[in-house]
């Protein structure tokens, strides 16, 4: 058990987990039903030599998980919206996927969520939003918050990431720095840097549409149980998903042309 220290700095960002604080060079987070599975994954990544994730240090006297603190910045910033940043993120995700090789791809212990219909081939992060990517010296070097990780396909995790980073969203819902970017060109750039094969590129937008449909249903169900999911839903999460799906319907042909 890791001793609890007194000086705690609240860490903001993200939508679901409250009570995350920094204590020295550690992060303390409330545990959940998926914490044992997440810790097993993080320990596997450490054994595999993947440096882009926090290390598990244990549990403190208040029953919170204790992870290493990864210095840097997150969120949508000038340095995070460049082509170089997007290419770096694609390589980071590819390295992470490769590092999950050998980890059990069973659904037991994970929080779950929307998913692909095909058999899982990786343990996906499934929530690689700008708040969950850490930049240092202008380069994305680490990912945090694995609470929504689960067995899935590489392509589903790519689609989930591009939802936020291309972004596949109605311009009205994009952060200002992402509002006027060429989404099709960014889809192509990310796929090139990751190494997404042609057969998967042809299916990418189809899977994005499926993810919108299923994410809407999953989020609506979780919102009915209350908590932060309800706050997100009340804040318009469902409407944003619907607008993103409608935007994709209008622009699918031009986006597909970039991919194939």
């Amino acid at each position: 058990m890791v001793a609890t220290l007194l000086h705690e700095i609240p860490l903001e960002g993200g939508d679901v987990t409250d009570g995350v604080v920094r204590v020295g060079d550690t992060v303390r987070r409330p545990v959940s039903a998926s914490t044992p599975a997440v810790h097993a994954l993080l320990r596997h990544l450490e054994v595999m030599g993947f440096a882009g994730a926090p290390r598990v240090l244990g549990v403190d006297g208040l029953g919170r998980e204790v992870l290493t603190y990864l210095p840097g910045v997150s969120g949508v910033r000038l340095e995070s919206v460049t082509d170089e940043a997007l290419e770096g993120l694609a390589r980071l995700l590819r390295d992470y996927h490769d590092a999950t090789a050998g980890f059990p791809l069973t659904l037991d212990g994970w929080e779950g969520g929307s998913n692909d219909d095909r058999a899982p081939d990786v343990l996906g992060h499934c929530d690689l939003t700008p708040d969950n990517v850490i930049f240092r010296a202008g380069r994305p070097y680490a990912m945090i918050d694995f609470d929504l990780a689960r067995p899935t396909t590489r392509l589903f995790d790519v689609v989930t990431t591009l939802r936020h980073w291309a972004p596949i969203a109605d311009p009205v819902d994009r952060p200002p720095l992402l509002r006027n970017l060429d989404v099709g060109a960014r889809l192509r750039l990310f796929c090139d840097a990751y190494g997404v094969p042609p057969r998967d590129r042809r299916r990418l937008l189809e899977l994005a549409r499926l993810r919108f449909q299923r994410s809407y249903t999953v989020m609506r169900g979780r919102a009915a149980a209350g908590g932060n999911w309800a706050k997100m839903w009340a804040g318009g999460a469902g409407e944003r998903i619907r607008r993103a799906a409608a935007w994709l319907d209008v622009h699918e042909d031009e986006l597909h042309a970039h991919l194939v």
Side-chain angles (χ1 to χ4, degrees):
M1 182 174 291
V2 179
T4 301
L5 303 179
L6 295 178
H7 187 55
E8 299 185 352
I9 303 171
L11 296 177
E12 299 179 352
D15 296 309
V16 178
T17 305
D18 287 330
V20 181
V21 299
R22 177 183 176 185
V23 180
D25 292 329
T26 71
V27 172
R28 314 295 172 104
R29 306 175 82 254
V31 300
S32 67
S34 64
T35 297
V38 171
H39 284 190
L41 170 61
L42 293 178
R43 291 187 175 109
H44 172 86
L45 295 175
E46 182 176 7
V47 169
M48 295 297 291
F50 178 72
R55 304 306 188 209
V56 179
L57 300 178
V59 178
D60 70 10
L62 298 178
R64 301 173 298 186
E65 65 172 338
V66 183
L67 307 172
T68 54
Y69 173 75
L70 300 177
V73 296
S74 62
V76 178
R77 301 167 179 265
L78 284 173
E79 66 195 84
S80 64
V81 301
T82 65
D83 287 352
E84 292 76 16
L86 190 66
E87 289 177 314
L89 178 63
R91 289 190 290 268
L92 176 65
L93 183 62
R94 176 62 187 260
D95 289 345
Y96 162 71
H97 284 164
D98 290 348
T100 69
F103 192 84
L105 297 180
T106 61
L107 294 175
D108 296 337
W110 302 102
E111 182 170 334
S114 60
N115 218 327
D116 197 347
D117 287 329
R118 300 192 179 183
D121 50 24
V122 295
L123 206 298
H125 183 282
C126 298
D127 194 28
L128 213 56
T129 69
D131 284 330
N132 290 335
V133 177
I134 306 299
F135 281 73
R136 188 167 56 189
R139 181 180 67 87
Y141 83 99
M143 54 182 69
I144 59 173
D145 194 350
F146 288 76
D147 287 352
L148 297 183
R150 53 189 178 272
T152 188
T153 63
R154 288 178 182 261
L155 185 61
F156 186 86
D157 213 12
V158 166
V159 165
T160 298
T161 303
L162 287 171
R163 161 79 170 103
H164 303 285
W165 289 89
I168 307 175
D170 189 298
V172 73
D173 296 317
R174 300 177 196 169
L177 288 174
L178 292 171
R179 192 161 291 156
N180 297 314
L181 299 179
D182 185 336
V183 175
R186 286 173 67 82
L187 293 177
R188 177 64 177 262
L189 185 69
F190 188 98
C191 288
D192 286 348
Y194 181 97
V196 177
R199 66 179 182 279
D200 283 344
R201 297 186 193 209
R202 288 190 288 270
R203 184 173 174 254
L204 191 150
L205 298 178
E206 170 193 338
L207 186 56
R209 181 173 290 103
L210 181 66
R211 181 186 178 276
F212 285 139
Q213 295 168 356
R214 293 179 175 177
S215 293
Y216 184 92
T217 301
V218 168
M219 289 195 68
R220 183 175 58 186
R222 288 177 174 170
N228 281 343
W229 289 104
K231 293 178 184 177
M232 291 171 60
W233 192 258
E239 287 87 347
R240 288 190 291 274
I241 293 172
R242 291 298 198 200
R243 284 193 293 268
W247 181 87
L248 177 58
D249 286 341
V250 172
H251 296 277
E252 180 174 7
D253 288 345
E254 63 191 78
L255 298 178
H256 190 70
H258 281 278
L259 290 167
V260 300

